[in-house]
Amino acid sequence: MSDRFAERLLRWFDRHGRRDLPWQRPGPDGRRDAYRVWLSEVMLQQTQVATVIPYFNRFVETLPTLRDLAGADEDTVLALWSGLGYYRRARFLHAAAQRCVAEHGNTLPRDIDALLALPGIGRSTAGAILAQSHGLRFPILDGNVKRVLARYHGVHGDPGKSTVEKLLWGHAETHTPAQRTADYTQAIMDLGATVCIRSQPRCDDCPVRDDCIARRDGLTAQLPTPKPGKRTPTRQTVMLVLRDTDGRILLERRGPQGVWSGLWSLPEAASSEEAWRVAGQRARLGDACALPPFIHVFSHYKLAAEPWLFDRVTPLAGVADQAEARWIAPSRGMQLGLPAPIRTLLDSLSESFPEDSP
């Protein structure tokens, strides 16, 4: 064992840890599948386990192997990811799988430097892959682990700053044991996710509480040190729902820059007045009505969207001849990579206009 911290944590894990998550199930060789571990680690970034499980199961049912992922088209990958957000993760996952097929014999490499050279794989993700699928002694430092170690060792300062992060990596390295590395890796993540939580941590249930500096000094609310607060700006947009007499909706693929890059979404306009002009460039219009507005929160701003429904329009010739534009039945739009709020909006329209075109 590495030290008392690891010993106590592993004893706690044996009684309370999560040991039957879908990505933990061993393959025929008795080891966890590195592809499934990798996929879970990427999905779990910024997302809770309960949310990830159905996405993970659907993803591996459609793309069960790394080679299947590499051979899939981007729309398939983004459709399976739709709703998880942070879509760059899915694109990096796809690109990394293609690199593994081309350069590593259809498998994720076991070498740490080779893993780090792949798109979207940082030090913590690489460590989790090697520890959980191969039992190799590599530390991890995701958000949950940062919180546990900052509190346990009384580390002040923004964990995102390089000096603080370096200190936390040193603690992570020290505590990671040479044996049962996979279990320890899961244990420290579980501790942060279920006991050493951000608000009102359950210190009485913590296996390492006796040596925790934050608990001793009454600093659990102050550690880890929060980032300085920023005012979140709001951007306004008008989304155009152009629906023809067959119930099809016009979707357009967004460009490579900005949020939702490469996903299929609705045409947009800067104002309700401009909405008529933009819509008229795509179809002959009749009546229009405003749909319920919504706000979608990104990491760095809020999007206040005002959807307008232009119903029973007549598509103009040539609009759907573009590769980046399609008239499509709402139910079939679910096969494309759609942002979560657009998917929700199309779901509501599908209910109000159930007859999809063939």
Side-chain angles (χ1 to χ4, degrees):
M1 291 296 175
S2 166
D3 58 5
R4 293 175 62 196
F5 180 92
E7 292 173 4
R8 292 172 176 176
L9 192 52
L10 283 167
R11 284 199 299 269
W12 172 85
F13 178 75
D14 289 339
R15 295 183 60 190
H16 305 289
R18 295 180 286 197
R19 295 189 294 277
D20 194 33
L21 297 170
W23 46 87
Q24 294 175 324
R25 294 163 193 161
D29 62 354
R31 290 188 177 275
R32 297 175 188 172
D33 181 1
Y35 168 65
R36 293 167 71 93
V37 171
W38 170 42
L39 175 60
S40 71
E41 286 297 315
V42 176
M43 286 186 167
L44 287 165
Q45 295 166 9
Q46 311 289 336
T47 313
Q48 295 182 343
V49 168
T51 300
V52 162
I53 287 176
Y55 282 94
F56 176 88
N57 288 336
R58 186 164 57 247
F59 201 101
V60 296
E61 182 179 343
T62 306
L63 304 173
T65 68
L66 185 147
R67 189 166 189 170
D68 292 323
L69 171 58
D73 61 74
E74 186 174 275
D75 278 336
T76 297
V77 176
L78 293 177
L80 291 168
W81 201 271
S82 182
L84 276 174
Y86 300 95
Y87 290 92
R88 286 183 65 193
R89 296 182 296 171
R91 292 194 183 84
F92 283 149
L93 197 76
H94 195 204
Q98 292 172 335
R99 286 266 299 274
C100 287
V101 167
E103 301 173 12
H104 300 291
N106 301 324
T107 61
L108 279 166
R110 287 184 55 158
D111 177 73
I112 185 73
D113 291 329
L115 272 179
L116 291 172
L118 295 173
I121 296 185
R123 183 179 175 185
S124 187
T125 300
I129 293 168
L130 294 175
Q132 294 197 62
S133 59
H134 302 297
L136 300 177
R137 187 183 179 273
F138 285 94
I140 66 165
L141 194 67
D142 68 1
N144 284 323
V145 177
K146 285 181 178 180
R147 185 165 58 255
V148 170
L149 295 178
R151 285 174 172 165
Y152 183 80
H153 289 283
V155 176
H156 292 260
D158 180 358
K161 290 190 174 181
S162 58
T163 53
V164 179
E165 189 174 48
K166 183 178 180 180
L167 180 59
L168 292 173
W169 270 116
H171 291 311
E173 175 72 37
T174 297
H175 291 308
T176 302
Q179 288 80 39
R180 296 191 64 189
T181 311
D183 285 345
Y184 171 83
T185 299
Q186 186 64 51
I188 195 168
M189 289 190 291
D190 283 358
L191 187 70
T194 64
V195 175
C196 193
I197 53 180
R198 183 174 290 108
S199 300
Q200 298 181 327
R202 297 165 39 218
C203 294
D204 289 344
D205 298 324
C206 179
V208 296
R209 61 185 179 275
D210 291 345
D211 298 318
C212 177
I213 292 176
R215 179 175 180 266
R216 182 195 70 190
D217 296 345
L219 294 173
T220 55
Q222 287 75 45
L223 296 177
T225 305
K227 293 181 180 179
K230 285 185 179 179
R231 182 179 176 274
T232 304
T234 299
R235 185 171 75 82
Q236 308 284 337
T237 189
V238 178
M239 292 186 170
L240 315 181
V241 184
L242 285 87
R243 184 165 64 179
D244 70 8
T245 54
D246 292 321
R248 300 179 306 169
I249 305 292
L250 179 64
L251 295 177
E252 297 178 349
R253 193 194 294 271
R254 294 176 69 92
Q257 305 299 323
V259 296
W260 296 340
S261 59
L263 299 183
W264 291 86
S265 189
L266 299 167
E268 293 185 30
S271 65
S272 54
E273 293 77 14
E274 186 186 350
W276 284 88
R277 181 183 63 79
V278 174
Q281 294 173 342
R282 291 157 173 78
R284 287 199 296 275
L285 308 177
D287 294 330
C289 65
L291 298 174
F294 63 86
I295 294 178
H296 186 72
V297 180
F298 295 98
S299 59
H300 52 295
Y301 73 91
K302 296 177 182 178
L303 180 67
E306 181 185 354
W308 275 77
L309 173 62
F310 295 84
D311 207 7
R312 299 188 176 277
V313 304
T314 302
L316 295 181
V319 170
D321 293 340
Q322 308 168 50
E324 308 306 313
R326 298 182 187 178
W327 291 92
I328 193 162
S331 61
R332 295 189 179 181
M334 304 306 147
Q335 300 168 15
L336 301 175
L338 298 173
I342 306 303
R343 182 177 291 265
T344 299
L345 181 57
L346 293 189
D347 277 341
S348 67
L349 290 170
S350 200
E351 292 170 5
S352 65
F353 201 116
E355 295 299 323
D356 288 334
S357 60

